[in-house]
């Protein structure tokens, strides 16, 4: 026998505070036509509901609703039969999302946001060390692995629906720099942690593993500046970091897996959700005064990209207006719809 199950909804439903027994007229059907039924049957199932039933509050959507995946018919005994397509059940289940680089400053925010939205997502994180795992809570959903070792990624990626890549090589400043003496600091990359190994091989390994696992979408966070070989970031530690990032982005775009490539501006440790976000292409935003963005805003765009078809097979630059200038971005579907570039 099918069991009616309450599910979290993405739209308002009528109040469930009043007793269902008080509502007996056909008007109830109109009041509750935007509620939802979820049935536990793994296949298409029929639920027979009396015409005067008011059990439409947090569970049932009448199939005369224009967007419903349900079908209905009325039988001779005055019952309404509601058929639920099993595919709709799959759409309602939380998506399992892995964020790699979850120990980094932006990765931590993405992982935290996933955990906070448990009705939408089952969060997983991938970090490099046990120390990083403990830093973000040490939960069982945080895996320790090396993106340069393809085999170590399998346990974390197996069974996920989406992957958010936030791994990156990080240059370190050589000791001995004295800003009081002028000049510029020098940077280096640790052995085994050059951009070619991390931003190219490491990201390629993630993309390959995700594709093999049947992942439905990959969100990759890169950086603006990749159109200019002479960008100063490429000179840090002689790593050509933007060159290798761009190579990984192209590999993802050619993979056949639905993707969203976010090329963020200068990252800032500021509050998110209070600025107007700007979309660009081909580093055009670097020629303006709006070249930075809060890490929290980048993290939010990562999660929003998982919600809208308009974000798939898109690559774009991302920055924001200063706080107080413009209107804070809330309509992410409209934001993604602005994007016309696939790479």
């Amino acid at each position: 026998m099918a069991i009616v199950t309450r599910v979290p909804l993405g739209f308002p439903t009528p109040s469930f505070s009043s007793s269902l027994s008080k509502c007996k007229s056909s008007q109830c059907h109109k009041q509750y036509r935007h509620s939802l039924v979820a049935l536990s049957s793994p296949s298409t199932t029929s639920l027979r509901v009396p015409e005067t039933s008011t059990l439409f509050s947090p569970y049932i959507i009448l199939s005369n609703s224009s967007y419903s995946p349900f079908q209905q018919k009325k039988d001779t005994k005055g019952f309404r039969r509601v058929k639920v397509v099993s595919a709709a059940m799959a759409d309602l289940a939380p998506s399992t999302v892995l964020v790699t680089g979850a120990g980094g400053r932006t990765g931590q925010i993405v992982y935290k946001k996933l955990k906070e939205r448990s009705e939408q997502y089952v969060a997983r994180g991938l970090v490099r060390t046990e120390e990083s795992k403990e830093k973000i809570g040490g939960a069982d959903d945080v895996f320790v692995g090396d993106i340069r070792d393809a085999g170590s990624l399998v346990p974390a990626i197996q069974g996920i629906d989406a992957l958010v890549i936030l791994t990156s090589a990080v240059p370190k400043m050589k000791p001995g720099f004295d800003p009081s003496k002028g000049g510029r600091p020098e940077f280096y990359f640790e052995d085994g942690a050059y951009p070619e190994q991390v931003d190219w091989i490491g990201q390629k390994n993630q993309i390959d593993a995700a594709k093999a696992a049947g992942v439905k979408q990959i969100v990759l966070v890169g950086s603006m500046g990749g159109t200019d070989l002479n960008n100063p970031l490429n000179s840090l530690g002689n790593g050509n970091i933007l060159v290798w990032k761009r190579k990984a982005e192209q590999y993802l775009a050619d993979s056949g897996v639905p993707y969203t490539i976010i090329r963020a501006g200068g990252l800032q440790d500021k509050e998110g959700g209070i600025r107007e976000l700007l979309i660009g292409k081909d580093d055009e935003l670097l020629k303006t005064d709006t070249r930075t963005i809060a890490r929290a805003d980048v993290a939010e765009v990562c999660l929003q990209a998982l919600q809208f078809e308009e974000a798939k097979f898109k690559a774009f630059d991302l920055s924001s207006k200063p706080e107080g200038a413009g209107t804070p971005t809330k309509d992410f579907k409209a934001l993604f719809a602005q994007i016309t570039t696939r790479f």
Side-chain angles (χ1 to χ4, degrees):
M1 179 177 68
I3 300 172
V4 179
T5 307
R6 186 168 188 170
V7 294
L9 302 180
F11 48 82
T13 57
S15 173
F16 193 50
S17 60
S18 62
S19 172
L20 294 175
S21 62
K22 294 180 181 179
C23 184
K24 297 183 179 299
S25 70
S26 60
Q27 181 66 21
C28 294
H29 299 297
K30 296 179 182 178
Q31 292 174 345
Y32 294 114
R33 68 180 180 275
H34 292 304
S35 300
L36 191 61
V37 161
L39 300 180
S40 62
S41 170
S43 59
T44 302
T45 309
S46 295
L47 174 68
R48 301 178 75 233
V49 185
E51 283 288 346
T52 56
S53 172
T54 59
L55 296 176
F56 297 125
S57 179
Y59 305 108
I60 293 176
I61 179 167
L62 298 186
S63 58
N64 58 358
S65 177
S66 61
Y67 65 89
S68 171
F70 306 174
Q71 299 172 334
Q72 68 158 353
K73 66 179 180 179
K74 185 175 175 181
D75 65 20
T76 56
K77 296 182 180 180
F79 281 84
R80 175 163 297 170
R81 185 162 301 198
V82 183
K83 289 188 176 181
V84 183
V85 180
S86 59
M89 285 291 291
D91 291 340
L92 293 171
S95 298
T96 300
V97 181
L98 170 67
V99 52
T100 61
R105 284 184 287 175
T106 308
Q108 287 185 51
I109 301 172
V110 174
Y111 175 72
K112 181 180 179 183
K113 284 178 175 286
L114 289 170
K115 298 284 280 187
E116 290 172 345
R117 302 175 194 184
S118 57
E119 76 285 354
Q120 291 178 283
Y121 305 110
V122 176
R124 288 189 193 178
L126 180 75
V127 297
R128 288 184 300 160
T129 65
E130 289 290 344
E131 181 182 1
S132 292
K133 177 175 179 175
E134 292 303 317
K135 185 171 66 174
I136 61 173
D140 291 339
D141 57 27
V142 178
F143 296 76
V144 177
D146 185 346
I147 61 172
R148 299 166 300 180
D149 175 11
S152 74
L153 302 176
V154 174
I157 287 181
Q158 206 164 34
I160 67 172
D161 297 298
L163 170 65
V164 179
I165 299 176
L166 273 161
T167 54
S168 177
V170 180
K172 295 191 174 184
M173 187 184 299
K174 289 184 178 180
F177 173 69
D178 186 351
S180 65
K181 295 180 179 180
R184 296 181 177 181
E186 294 185 20
F187 294 86
Y188 72 99
F189 291 96
E190 293 181 335
D191 289 343
Y194 276 80
E196 180 179 3
Q197 296 158 310
V198 177
D199 292 279
W200 166 233
I201 296 174
Q203 292 190 1
K204 178 179 180 295
N205 286 341
Q206 295 176 67
I207 294 165
D208 288 341
K211 184 175 182 178
V215 167
K216 300 171 186 175
Q217 185 178 0
I218 298 176
V219 177
L220 171 60
V221 178
S223 176
M224 287 197 288
T227 62
D228 181 11
L229 290 175
N230 296 316
N231 188 289
L233 291 178
N234 282 327
S235 65
L236 296 179
N238 294 317
N240 284 319
I241 188 168
L242 296 180
V243 173
W244 296 112
K245 284 182 179 293
R246 199 78 169 188
K247 187 176 177 70
E249 292 170 7
Q250 185 68 65
Y251 187 78
L252 173 59
D254 294 338
S255 70
V257 179
Y259 64 87
T260 306
I261 298 171
I262 302 168
R263 299 180 182 123
L267 297 171
Q268 298 181 320
D269 296 314
K270 294 183 176 180
E271 181 184 355
I274 57 175
R275 299 172 186 81
E276 182 175 335
L277 304 184
L278 301 173
I279 293 292
K281 63 179 182 178
D282 299 330
D283 295 331
E284 292 172 344
L285 291 172
L286 290 179
K287 301 172 185 177
T288 71
D289 294 330
T290 52
R291 295 172 288 182
T292 60
I293 187 166
R295 293 180 187 274
D297 285 328
V298 175
E300 184 62 33
V301 172
C302 287
L303 267 65
Q304 293 292 336
L306 301 174
Q307 297 294 312
F308 299 103
E309 289 294 319
E310 287 81 359
K312 291 182 178 178
F313 299 104
K314 300 283 183 71
F316 55 94
D317 300 342
L318 181 67
S319 67
S320 69
K321 291 183 178 181
E323 183 180 349
T327 304
T329 298
K330 303 298 180 184
D331 187 345
F332 287 91
K333 182 175 182 177
L335 183 76
F336 296 134
Q338 298 176 35
I339 306 163
T340 59
T341 48
R342 293 177 64 90
F343 186 79

